């Protein structure tokens, strides 16, 4: 979590008085999120998107998070629900993951939240890439070695093979992902 926030915020942002509220719109909670919740600088608020939107949308608005994280489709549904209740939120940072962030989704989320969404490519294998303000994903080559296996019939398509030098447990050495890029 520290690596992700460190790559996204300028130095000193996390030291501001009051800390940082992060709303996680995800299907599954994690022990890692619980450990981060115990800090004072970052407050994680988990919202279970497997539950009906009506059960948690108002709670997200009440938190008024500086960082909002979720799949693009869920972020769009939340924006629509909050707009109908005249409860729009304006996060400093909007992170979209778990689904492709298509150009039309990017534009719609920018209009809805007033900030351009940034993609996150994270999986059980680690924090692999982060989006920039221009909508491109940049692989975290300082954390993970990326190799590719191209399809012989379509060289523009590839499967990433990763080696993560930062993990001490659950290491990944020349691990072939299931993703097709």
């Amino acid at each position: 979590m520290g690596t992700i926030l460190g790559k996204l915020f300028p130095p000193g942002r996390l030291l501001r008085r009051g800390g940082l509220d992060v709303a996680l719109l995800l299907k599954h909670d994690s022990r890692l999120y619980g450990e981060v919740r115990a800090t004072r600088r970052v407050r994680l608020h988990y919202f279970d998107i497997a539950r009906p939107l009506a059960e948690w949308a108002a709670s997200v608005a009440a938190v008024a998070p500086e960082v909002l994280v979720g799949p693009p489709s869920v972020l769009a549904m939340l924006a629509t629900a909050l707009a109908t209740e005249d409860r729009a939120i304006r996060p400093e940072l909007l992170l979209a993951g778990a689904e492709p962030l298509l150009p039309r989704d990017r534009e719609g989320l920018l209009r809805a939240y007033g900030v351009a969404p940034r993609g996150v490519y994270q999986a059980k294998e680690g924090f692999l890439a982060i989006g920039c303000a221009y909508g491109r994903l940049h692989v975290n080559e300082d954390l993970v070695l990326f190799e590719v296996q191209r399809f012989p019939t379509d060289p523009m398509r590839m499967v990433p093979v990763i080696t993560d030098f930062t993990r001490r447990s659950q290491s990944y050495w020349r691990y072939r992902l299931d993703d097709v890029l």
Side-chain angles (χ1 to χ4, degrees):
M1 184 61 69
T3 302
I4 293 171
L5 293 172
K7 285 186 175 276
L8 293 170
F9 283 107
R13 171 55 184 96
L14 296 176
L15 300 176
R16 265 195 229 161
R17 180 166 279 196
L20 188 69
D21 284 299
V22 179
L24 301 169
L25 313 180
L26 304 170
K27 286 184 181 177
H28 305 286
D29 202 355
S30 164
R31 193 178 79 219
L32 168 67
Y33 305 144
E35 291 169 4
V36 174
R37 281 186 201 111
T39 70
R40 292 183 183 160
R41 296 278 177 219
V42 178
R43 290 176 300 281
L44 296 183
H45 307 272
Y46 168 75
F47 299 93
D48 184 355
I49 62 173
R51 302 181 62 81
L53 178 68
E55 290 183 18
W56 50 267
S59 298
V60 174
V63 168
E66 287 88 5
V67 181
L68 184 58
V69 182
S73 62
V74 174
L75 294 171
M77 288 188 308
L78 176 64
T80 301
L82 294 178
T84 59
E85 296 176 14
D86 199 26
R87 296 182 77 164
I89 57 176
R90 293 285 184 237
E92 290 176 40
L93 182 62
L94 187 62
L95 297 176
E99 299 170 354
L101 179 58
L102 303 174
R104 70 173 182 268
D105 298 329
R106 183 177 163 75
E107 293 303 316
L109 292 172
L110 172 61
R111 281 192 306 277
Y113 291 103
V115 62
R118 294 173 69 173
V120 175
Y121 182 18
Q122 181 168 344
K124 72 179 189 302
E125 297 86 8
F127 176 41
L128 303 176
I130 190 69
C132 70
Y134 299 102
R136 295 188 173 270
L137 277 178
H138 299 273
V139 295
N140 292 324
E141 294 175 298
D142 57 332
L143 305 172
V144 180
L145 172 67
F146 279 83
E147 301 171 86
V148 294
Q149 292 179 343
R150 295 193 184 274
F151 286 76
T153 56
D154 186 357
M156 290 302 292
R157 293 177 56 184
M158 62 195 82
V159 174
V161 177
I162 64 165
T163 299
D164 187 334
F165 298 109
T166 63
R167 289 182 182 228
R168 294 192 176 133
S169 64
Q170 195 182 21
S171 62
Y172 289 97
W173 294 91
R174 295 197 41 81
Y175 181 79
R176 185 178 192 269
L177 299 176
D178 293 335
D179 298 340
V180 176
L181 309 175

